[in-house]
Amino acid sequence: SYELTQPPSVSVSPGQTARITCSGDALPKKYAYWYHQKSGPAPVLVIYEDSKRPPGIPERFSGSSSGTMATLTISGAQVEDEGDYYCFSADSGGNQRVFGGGTKLTVL
Amino acid sequence: EVQLVESGGGLVQPGESLRLSCAASDFTFSDYVMGWVRQAPGKGLEYVSVISGTFGITNYADSVKGRFTISRDNSKKTVYLLMNSLRDEDTATYYCVKDIRDESSGSDVGFDVWGRGTKVTVSS
């Protein structure tokens, strides 16, 4: 079955750049989507189609994809950016859709 | 404001069934793929299923295939998830989700709007 691999945790100081990666064999052909979840509430979409930012998402959030890796970058991370980040994509046939295992971002 | 409101969660015993509903508002419901994502307590997000808007084409995660059935009623702007033969490992919060692009775009499926979730507990 298809898998997306994320690092379990990333830690940065406030104001630093945080980078969270997502690795998957089909990422050269399929878009990556990124979600942020703080404990409790439903996830929020922060990046779609590799690099597009939804309305209301701060400009410090950006995304890129190269080869089999997609990257979420938070430039100048803030304390409120802490939480879990998940990537989402599909296999090359579009039949298996999966989330990555999630990355816990700590900003302190 | 685009909104998704789930209902139907609860406590059931292993082997029993449950049907979740998700009422949508403020968008052209029939134009969009809709789906369900779940999250077990303390765990990550897990894709469950999606259904296309016009023709009702469905897709399921392997973990629920053959046990869960997704359906929709475009006239009621509602999507359903019928869960049969429930197992302890199906215990989770179930989120209703909406695709970011309308079906005519032909783009990959990705979810921009999430409901608040409904809890399903499977336990004897």
Side-chain angles (χ1 to χ4, degrees):
Chain A
S1 62
Y2 188 55
E3 292 184 356
L4 296 173
T5 302
Q6 298 181 235
S9 63
V10 168
S11 182
V12 297
S13 299
Q16 286 190 330
T17 296
R19 292 182 180 86
I20 300 172
T21 59
C22 174
S23 176
D25 289 342
L27 288 177
K29 297 182 180 179
K30 293 297 185 183
Y31 286 132
Y33 299 76
W34 290 94
Y35 298 90
H36 177 211
Q37 186 181 36
K38 297 185 180 182
S39 56
V44 172
L45 178 69
V46 294
I47 293 291
Y48 68 101
E49 295 175 356
D50 290 345
S51 59
K52 299 181 174 73
R53 198 171 48 249
I57 299 302
E59 290 185 6
R60 63 181 181 271
F61 287 87
S62 63
S64 62
S65 187
S66 178
T68 59
M69 185 170 289
T71 302
L72 173 68
T73 300
I74 308 172
S75 303
Q78 308 293 311
V79 172
E80 60 261 34
D81 300 331
E82 286 193 328
D84 297 316
Y85 289 84
Y86 298 90
C87 61
F88 174 78
S89 189
D91 68 353
S92 56
N95 294 319
Q96 288 190 61
R97 297 180 174 88
V98 294
F99 286 91
T103 299
K104 184 175 183 62
L105 175 66
T106 302
V107 183
L108 53 72
Chain B
E1 180 189 358
V2 174
Q3 204 169 9
L4 302 173
V5 179
E6 303 96 336
S7 60
L11 172 63
V12 295
Q13 295 190 344
E16 293 187 337
S17 299
L18 203 59
R19 190 179 82 156
L20 307 182
S21 299
C22 169
S25 58
D26 279 0
F27 64 98
T28 307
F29 182 75
S30 58
D31 285 351
Y32 290 87
V33 170
M34 299 293 295
W36 293 90
V37 173
R38 69 184 182 183
Q39 186 169 35
K43 302 296 185 181
L45 301 175
E46 181 185 12
Y47 165 81
V48 174
S49 180
V50 293
I51 183 168
S52 68
T54 305
F55 298 109
I57 298 169
T58 59
N59 179 270
Y60 299 93
D62 288 345
S63 58
V64 306
K65 201 173 294 183
R67 300 188 299 123
F68 289 12
T69 302
I70 190 171
S71 61
R72 65 191 294 160
D73 185 334
N74 288 342
S75 68
K76 295 182 178 179
K77 295 187 176 182
T78 300
V79 60
Y80 305 96
L81 186 68
L82 175 61
M83 305 183 293
N84 293 326
S85 304
L86 282 162
R87 306 167 180 167
D88 290 352
E89 55 265 34
D90 295 318
T91 294
T93 295
Y94 284 73
Y95 295 102
C96 177
V97 290
K98 167 192 165 290
D99 194 7
I100 189 168
R101 298 272 193 199
D102 68 69
E103 281 193 321
S104 62
S105 72
S107 182
D108 293 351
V109 170
F111 312 119
D112 63 336
V113 179
W114 297 59
R116 299 184 65 159
T118 186
K119 287 189 178 180
V120 172
T121 302
V122 184
S123 175
S124 54

